[in-house]
């Protein structure tokens, strides 16, 4: 898969997506990077630590978040996308589920659209992505946690997102799937979806795993968001072992090292 000017292989290696929240209220790092210069310094730091792709988000999607207007979200993300593209050679993902924000982000230079609603929130975003020719990440999400057969229904929900993508004309080779840890799932269901990631490989698309500092780690370890690095590293190791193509993380250096060590054990020193 080509994202920006870089080729990413779909299997056999796990790439690290660094999180850049330009928000005042994200659950883990709200307000830290919503200044342009601070954001650029953080991108520089994450690149030095081994980041492969940066994911820029302008609206917090923590539990109980306040939805932004399109205009406010665009005002947050487009200057940062433009600045990152002007200063660094790194593929840029835009984390949004709104068509107008996606369009503005694409015009600003975004290379991938990361959609936490799997194209289901805004019925125009699929065509925006299709017309751009850019790849996208489609995440599993729903408004409740009422499942009869959990993993079967997660797969069914993702199949609906794939149908929307295909109907809009998004090519198969442009699609990444995300199991949606922390979204539309309770604590036990979050643990289960991480443990059963291989069941989603049946679709044949690359998988992205995003567990970094999330509540499933906090609840397990009884720790605040800023003390969840070790728990995140465990999920990254599991993601590598189960064949995820990407992990989306806050702490790039530590996760890059965890990926490298896990791949060395799984595939031999030459791959590590």
């Amino acid at each position: 898969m080509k994202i920006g000017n870089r080729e990413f292989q779909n299997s056999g290696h796990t790439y690290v997506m660094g999180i850049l929240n330009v928000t005042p209220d994200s659950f883990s790092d709200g307000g830290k990077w919503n200044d342009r210069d601070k954001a650029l310094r953080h991108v520089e730091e994450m690149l030095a630590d081994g980041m492969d792709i940066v994911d820029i988000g302008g609206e917090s999607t923590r539990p109980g978040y306040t939805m932004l207007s399109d205009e406010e979200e665009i005002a947050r993300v487009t200057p940062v996308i433009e600045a990152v593209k002007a200063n660094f050679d790194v593929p840029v993902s835009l984390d949004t589920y709104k068509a107008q924000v996606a369009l503005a982000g694409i015009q600003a230079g975004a290379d991938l659209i990361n959609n936490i609603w799997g194209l289901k929130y805004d019925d125009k975003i699929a065509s925006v992505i299709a017309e751009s020719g850019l790849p996208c990440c489609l995440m599993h999400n729903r408004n409740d946690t009422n499942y009869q057969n959990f993993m079967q229904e997660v797969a069914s929900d993702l199949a609906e997102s794939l149908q929307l993508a295909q109907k809009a004309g998004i090519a198969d080779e442009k699609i990444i799937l995300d199991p949606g840890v922390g979204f539309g799932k309770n604590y036990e269901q979050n643990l289960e979806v991480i443990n059963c990631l291989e069941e989603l490989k049946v679709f044949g698309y690359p998988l992205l795993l995003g567990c970094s500092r999330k509540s499933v780690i906090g609840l397990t370890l009884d720790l605040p968001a800023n003390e969840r690095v070790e728990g995140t590293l465990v999920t990254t190791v599991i993601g590598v072992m189960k064949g995820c193509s990407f992990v989306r993380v806050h702490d790039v250096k530590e996760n890059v090292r965890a990926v490298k060590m896990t791949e060395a054990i799984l595939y031999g020193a030459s791959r590590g």
Side-chain angles (χ1 to χ4, degrees), residues 139-142 144-145 147 150 154 179-190 193:
M139 195 186 83
H140 176 265
N141 204 345
R142 56 159 65 182
D144 60 71
T145 60
Y147 300 85
F150 174 63
V154 168
V181 173
F183 293 83
K185 300 166 189 69
N186 62 29
Y187 172 65
E188 292 79 12
Q189 290 161 350
N190 282 316
V193 81

Side-chain angles (χ1 to χ4, degrees), residues 201-249:
K201 295 287 285 183
V202 298
F203 286 109
Y205 298 94
L207 294 182
L208 180 149
L209 181 63
C211 302
S212 187
R213 303 185 188 175
K214 287 187 176 177
S215 63
V216 65
I217 298 167
L219 290 169
T220 301
L221 302 179
D222 191 23
L223 290 172
N226 65 346
E227 293 185 32
R228 298 175 187 172
V229 177
E230 298 92 344
T232 300
L233 295 177
V234 173
T235 64
T236 289
V237 170
I238 290 173
V240 175
M241 294 180 74
K242 291 181 178 287
C244 290
S245 296
F246 299 88
V247 287
R248 180 182 178 273
V249 302

Side-chain angles (χ1 to χ4, degrees), residues 14-19 32 42 45-51 212-213 226-237 240 247-263:
T14 302
Y15 298 94
V16 173
M17 174 184 278
I19 298 169
K32 289 184 74 174
H42 191 47
E45 177 186 351
M46 291 193 290
L47 282 168
D49 288 341
M51 173 179 70
S212 187
R213 303 185 188 175
N226 65 346
E227 293 185 32
R228 298 175 187 172
V229 177
E230 298 92 344
T232 300
L233 295 177
V234 173
T235 64
T236 289
V237 170
V240 175
V247 287
R248 180 182 178 273
V249 302
H250 298 86
D251 304 287
V252 170
K253 178 170 61 178
E254 294 86 345
N255 282 276
V256 166
R257 290 174 178 176
V259 169
K260 188 173 183 179
M261 189 69 214
T262 308
E263 291 185 344

Side-chain angles (χ1 to χ4, degrees), residues 48-258:
D49 288 341
M51 173 179 70
D52 297 296
I53 179 172
V54 62
D55 188 47
I56 297 173
E59 177 181 273
S60 172
T61 52
R62 75 194 193 289
Y65 72 94
T66 301
M67 185 182 293
L68 296 178
S69 67
D70 289 0
E71 293 74 20
E72 187 172 358
E73 190 174 347
I74 289 168
R76 286 184 184 181
V77 298
T78 53
V80 178
I81 293 170
E82 290 169 352
V84 171
K85 295 299 290 187
N87 286 275
F88 304 104
D89 181 20
V90 61
V92 171
S93 164
L94 172 60
D95 184 353
T96 189
Y97 52 91
K98 302 168 188 170
Q100 288 304 310
V101 179
L103 183 59
I106 291 164
Q107 291 169 345
D111 301 302
L112 180 145
I113 301 299
N114 186 9
N115 188 296
I116 67 162
W117 276 105
L119 306 176
K120 295 179 183 180
Y121 176 85
D122 185 332
D123 60 8
K124 296 181 177 64
I125 196 166
S127 60
V128 168
I129 295 169
E131 288 167 17
S132 74
L134 293 185
C136 60
C137 182
L138 308 180
M139 195 186 83
H140 176 265
N141 204 345
R142 56 159 65 182
N143 286 314
D144 60 71
T145 60
N146 302 317
Y147 300 85
Q148 299 301 313
N149 186 318
F150 174 63
M151 285 304 297
Q152 184 175 316
E153 290 179 55
V154 168
S156 176
D157 291 347
L158 283 171
E160 292 173 1
S161 292
L162 288 168
Q163 289 172 352
L164 291 172
Q166 289 158 356
K167 183 178 178 182
I170 299 172
D172 278 345
E173 64 271 17
K174 303 280 189 179
I175 296 172
I176 301 165
L177 295 181
D178 180 340
V181 173
F183 293 83
K185 300 166 189 69
N186 62 29
Y187 172 65
E188 292 79 12
Q189 290 161 350
N190 282 316
L191 291 172
E192 184 176 351
V193 81
I194 297 167
N195 191 38
C196 299
L197 286 167
E198 67 275 11
E199 294 184 27
L200 302 179
K201 295 287 285 183
V202 298
F203 286 109
Y205 298 94
L207 294 182
L208 180 149
L209 181 63
C211 302
S212 187
R213 303 185 188 175
K214 287 187 176 177
S215 63
V216 65
I217 298 167
L219 290 169
T220 301
L221 302 179
D222 191 23
L223 290 172
N226 65 346
E227 293 185 32
R228 298 175 187 172
V229 177
E230 298 92 344
T232 300
L233 295 177
V234 173
T235 64
T236 289
V237 170
I238 290 173
V240 175
M241 294 180 74
K242 291 181 178 287
C244 290
S245 296
F246 299 88
V247 287
R248 180 182 178 273
V249 302
H250 298 86
D251 304 287
V252 170
K253 178 170 61 178
E254 294 86 345
N255 282 276
V256 166
R257 290 174 178 176

